[in-house]
């Protein structure tokens, strides 16, 4: 690598890592938590394909369940800044404890499924998957119905 390329690379990296002088924009905060929720949707859908026997990939069940648990842990933090918007309502921050407890319940259920899948495969995990269906109940309370 030439010196010039190294310097340019360093500058680009510095720009990426630069800590902005101002707080994150509200749009970025909303986009970020939506990124996480979309991941949750994709992982839940992938898990469903395995649980319903539509794809034969039982070894991945624990991975998807663990990914969901980790993603929920990240989502809890992503919702800390009080920014009403996207499809999240004011109720999230008015009832923060209930909202957060619902995420914790999902995280616990996902970890249970992962543990059962690792120990006993699909048959052991299947009866535990129902406890992960916490999505709609939370959405009904904490999202607007517009999407
Ligand atoms: C603790 C409450 C809660 C739980 C539990 C929850 N969600 Fe959400 N979800 C939300 C909120 C609030 C939003 C709106 C986020 C926003 O727009 O800022 C959302 C948005 C979404 C979105 C829409 C993202 C977009 O494109 O705008 C998807 C998809 C989603 N959730 C999937 C899931 C799935 C799948 C589960 C269950 C495995 C789940 N959620 C569980 C609260 C929850």
């Amino acid at each position: 690598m030439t010196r010039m390329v190294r310097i340019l690379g360093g500058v680009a990296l510095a720009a990426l890592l630069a800590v902005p002088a101002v707080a994150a924009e509200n749009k970025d905060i909303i986009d970020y938590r939506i990124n996480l929720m979309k991941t949750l949707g994709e992982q839940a859908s992938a898990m469903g394909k395995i649980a319903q026997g539509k794809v034969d990939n039982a070894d991945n069940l624990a991975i998807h369940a663990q990914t969901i648990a980790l993603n929920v842990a990240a989502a809890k933090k992503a919702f800390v800044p009080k920014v009403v918007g996207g499809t999240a309502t004011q109720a999230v921050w008015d009832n923060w404890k209930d909202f957060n407890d619902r995420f914790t319940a999902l995280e616990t259920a996902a970890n249970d499924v992962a543990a059962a899948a690792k120990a006993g495969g699909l048959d052991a995990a299947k009866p535990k998957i129902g406890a992960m269906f916490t999505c709609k109940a939370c959405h009904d309370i904490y999202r607007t119905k517009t999407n």
Side-chain angles (χ1 to χ4, degrees), residues 70-142:
L70 288 171
N71 202 80
V72 169
K76 280 179 174 175
K77 296 269 164 66
F79 277 97
V80 168
K82 182 182 170 181
V83 181
V84 177
T87 59
T89 64
Q90 168 84 36
V92 168
W93 295 276
D94 287 350
N95 305 324
W96 178 256
K97 188 179 179 319
D98 176 70
F99 181 77
N100 209 54
D101 286 350
R102 286 170 187 272
F103 265 151
T104 302
L106 174 54
E107 193 180 0
T108 304
N111 278 323
D112 276 357
V113 170
K118 278 184 192 165
L122 184 54
D123 287 343
K126 251 186 179 171
K128 299 190 175 279
I129 290 176
M132 288 179 66
F133 297 153
T134 59
C135 324
K136 188 177 182 304
C138 188
H139 292 170
D140 282 351
I141 303 173
Y142 295 108

